[in-house]
Amino acid sequence: MAYLYLDDSKHHPHGFSLAAFAICDADPHEELEALFVECGFDLSSYEYKSSTAMRDNPGLQRLRNALRGFVSSKCQIAVCIVDGDKQIGPASLALLKKAILHPKLRGQRHQVFFDEGLFSSESRAKTIASEISGLDDCTIHFEQDSQRVSGIQVADLIAHTCGTMLLDALGKINKIVNVPNSGYDDGVEIDLGFEMWAGIRYSFLSVGSGADIDDEDFAVVLVEPHGLYIDPSASPEVSVAAPKRFGSMYLGCIH
């Protein structure tokens, strides 16, 4: 059984919204509770939000980095992209259908949790889900409170990260960050989109490319079959950029 949590990141000025699943092998709540405590926060009273200003808050930066580590070691990622936000809910269900066909997830029962506000109503969400074949192995919980369902807070971090990666791929941001312990000279500065990609590239739900071990593409895995859904509503610009950014991942050495 897998536990899947979904949240979204809206970027209306740039013509898209993105939703992401955090896919965990087990209910992550107890581990997240301990992680929050280690960073000086109480999960029962504090909710992590990527939109919170963190520049002058070392504690929040520490929590964000710990959650990034949790994603890298404990989660897999699947994303969908839409225009605006009206299709986020239906597109997320279409992504769910693709994701559970992954060899690791196929044929199992799953618990799936959607954040609040992704559908016009819970009844509408259930109607749409009932019309999609292939979701019978999922127990789906709509309109969930992210304060109480802590896995959604992890999905919030993933959606924000992937949204920033897509903004970078679209040429909408141009930010350079200093990265300590990068493997390069101290104080190296790299593109923000590259830094975010490097941190989560191993976590995307993917399958092998089928390349021979001597082929230069051997270190590339394919995300699009199960871990990426691009809604027909997406603009031509986004529909081109999203597969380039998320459709496959290079897992080889980048140092």
Side-chain angles (χ1 to χ4, degrees):
M1 175 185 289
Y3 291 75
L4 297 89
Y5 304 90
L6 186 123
D7 203 355
D8 68 308
S9 180
K10 298 180 178 66
H11 300 276
H12 296 315
H14 304 295
F16 74 92
S17 290
L18 180 149
F21 277 114
I23 305 171
C24 306
D25 291 336
D27 185 339
H29 185 75
E30 289 188 4
E31 191 166 350
L32 290 173
E33 276 188 320
L35 183 152
F36 271 61
V37 169
E38 289 175 5
C39 294
F41 295 88
D42 183 351
L43 182 55
S44 67
S45 59
Y46 181 80
E47 179 179 2
Y48 177 85
K49 290 284 190 182
S50 294
S51 58
T52 303
M54 302 184 191
R55 180 184 297 274
D56 299 316
N57 193 323
L60 274 180
Q61 293 174 20
R62 189 164 55 249
L63 177 59
R64 178 183 62 194
N65 290 337
L67 287 171
R68 286 175 174 173
F70 179 85
V71 170
S72 296
S73 62
K74 301 289 186 176
C75 298
Q76 290 189 286
I77 296 167
V79 300
C80 64
I81 296 101
V82 304
D83 178 55
D85 59 15
K86 292 183 179 179
Q87 287 298 113
I88 290 179
S92 298
L93 287 170
L95 173 64
L96 175 62
K97 180 177 179 177
K98 294 182 70 172
I100 61 174
L101 290 175
H102 187 275
K104 178 182 176 181
L105 302 177
R106 186 185 297 129
Q108 303 178 46
R109 296 290 309 174
H110 305 298
Q111 296 288 332
V112 186
F113 302 84
F114 284 78
D115 192 25
E116 298 170 299
L118 300 173
F119 297 86
S120 58
S121 68
E122 184 174 2
S123 61
R124 179 59 181 157
K126 290 180 177 178
T127 297
I128 295 172
S130 70
E131 295 171 349
I132 298 177
S133 62
L135 300 183
D136 294 341
D137 289 336
C138 297
T139 300
I140 305 178
H141 310 270
F142 295 109
E143 297 297 317
Q144 296 297 292
D145 181 355
S146 54
Q147 172 70 63
R148 300 180 63 182
V149 183
S150 55
I152 294 176
Q153 298 179 43
V154 179
D156 169 89
L157 171 69
I158 294 171
H160 176 79
T161 300
C162 291
T164 303
M165 289 168 61
L166 185 52
L167 285 172
D168 179 71
L170 290 165
K172 304 299 184 182
I173 56 174
N174 184 22
K175 184 175 181 180
I176 303 299
V177 294
N178 184 280
V179 182
N181 304 316
S182 64
Y184 296 99
D185 294 336
D186 289 342
V188 67
E189 293 184 337
I190 63 174
D191 178 81
L192 175 63
F194 179 87
E195 188 262 344
M196 289 191 161
W197 167 81
I200 66 169
R201 60 189 173 127
Y202 292 99
S203 298
F204 282 86
L205 192 64
S206 62
V207 293
S209 65
D212 185 82
I213 194 170
D214 295 322
D215 193 301
E216 63 180 9
D217 291 330
F218 179 72
V220 174
V221 294
L222 304 179
V223 176
E224 193 157 11
H226 303 288
L228 176 64
Y229 175 78
I230 302 172
D231 190 73
S233 68
S235 70
E237 181 184 20
V238 170
S239 295
V240 170
K244 289 182 178 179
R245 177 67 288 174
F246 302 115
S248 61
M249 290 288 154
Y250 174 70
L251 304 185
C253 179
I254 57 175
H255 289 164

